[in-house]
Amino acid sequence: MKILRVSLFFFIFLAPFAYVTVQAFTGTYGINYGRIANNLPSPDEVVTLLKAAKIRNVRIYDADQSVLKEFSGTGLEIVVGLPNGNLRDVSADGDHAMNWVQDNVLAYLPDTCIRGIAIGNEVLGGSDQFSGFLLGAVKNVYDAVNKLKLSDVVQITTAHSQAVFANSFPPSSCVFQDNVVQYMKPLLEFFSQIGSPFCLNAYPFLAYMYDPEHIDINYALFLPTEGANDPKTKLHYDNLLDAQIDAAYAALEDAGFKKMEVIVTETGWASHGDENESAATVDNARTYNYNLRKRLAKMKGTPLRPKNVVRAYVFALFNENLKPGPTSERNFGLFKPDGSISYDIGFPGLKSSSADSLLLSLKDNRGCSWCGCYSIILTMATAFLLVFSR
């Protein structure tokens, strides 16, 4: 009889989760919530803004306590970040990694839907300051997540800039930089084992700014153009972002990881820049981000990987007035610091009326995600065991 009870318990409560593959991205559209600024809305206002815009997937670059608390119970799915400055300590000490995961992830689950941990950002391809610590940090964080029984809930990734590639045109010729391969290949091997994607920060804006004489701005903005052909694969590209993604697929295939998925973790277009950044205009930013939304809504792949639906996080939610570098760096936001839109691509600005808040709350409850239902399932499962174990 006990065997029957246990079997019944398994099929009712555990079987649906027995072969769960961790997925940190719902749909195709997400956004980066950077906070290098001193004039941004409070996290609770950000939640209202994201709900109004119906943006569910969010990435942050740390594990800020106030953000994680406000995201609790909202249904918004968030990827937290382990900053580059933490890589050395986390790589050197598994206990340090465990403490970080317990304090910054486990403590907020399941009410806050933390779906991934990004280990560092654009670590490879620049200076080697943190390169030697990346793989160790990835492994230690994954081990901690696995020991806490969260490996089917929280995905481990790291995002790369295009600096990791030796060349990217034509897409089929793309390979990893020689000085990157020693770090990249063992990292990809581990990600292949745990089912993580290759995360790419891809900016047609930066590519066009670097070589405006040879890149048609219409090609970068998803506008009608002659496009480009890859002489090796005979594939045609009508926009630059698809070509950048397929260049990453080509590099992965060359390295022996043909089946690994590519997810775009940053892409966007600046709305204002310095005198030498003439492409950074409101009109171009509006055009790129509006057409990007349409591109992602088609739920289709790239010419090289037509079955791999393109998923992308836009950079960024807000203009960030304290970011260093050229003026364009402070002007990638879809929204201004007061919550109003930077330009119109179909998103509403910040709304705070009680009617709107109530409606959004009801919609969230109606669309309960796995994170939101997890605690209910555990409670029911516990009750089931108590009743049938007597």
Side-chain angles (χ1 to χ4, degrees), residues 48-62:
T48 300
L49 181 65
L50 290 169
K51 287 181 177 180
K54 298 180 180 179
I55 299 174
R56 184 172 182 175
N57 304 289
V58 184
R59 294 177 79 245
I60 60 176
Y61 294 89
D62 52 20

Side-chain angles (χ1 to χ4, degrees), residues 326-378:
T327 298
S328 60
E329 284 291 323
R330 295 178 286 282
N331 289 279
F332 274 88
L334 300 185
F335 298 91
K336 298 176 182 178
D338 63 359
S340 63
I341 57 175
S342 296
Y343 39 81
D344 186 9
I345 62 168
F347 289 136
L350 185 61
K351 296 180 180 180
S352 58
S353 73
S354 58
D356 288 332
S357 299
L358 176 59
L359 178 61
L360 291 167
S361 177
L362 290 173
K363 286 182 178 178
D364 282 339
N365 290 334
R366 184 178 61 188
C368 182
S369 65
W370 187 90
C371 283
C373 297
Y374 181 57
S375 57
I376 298 173
I377 291 170
L378 286 183

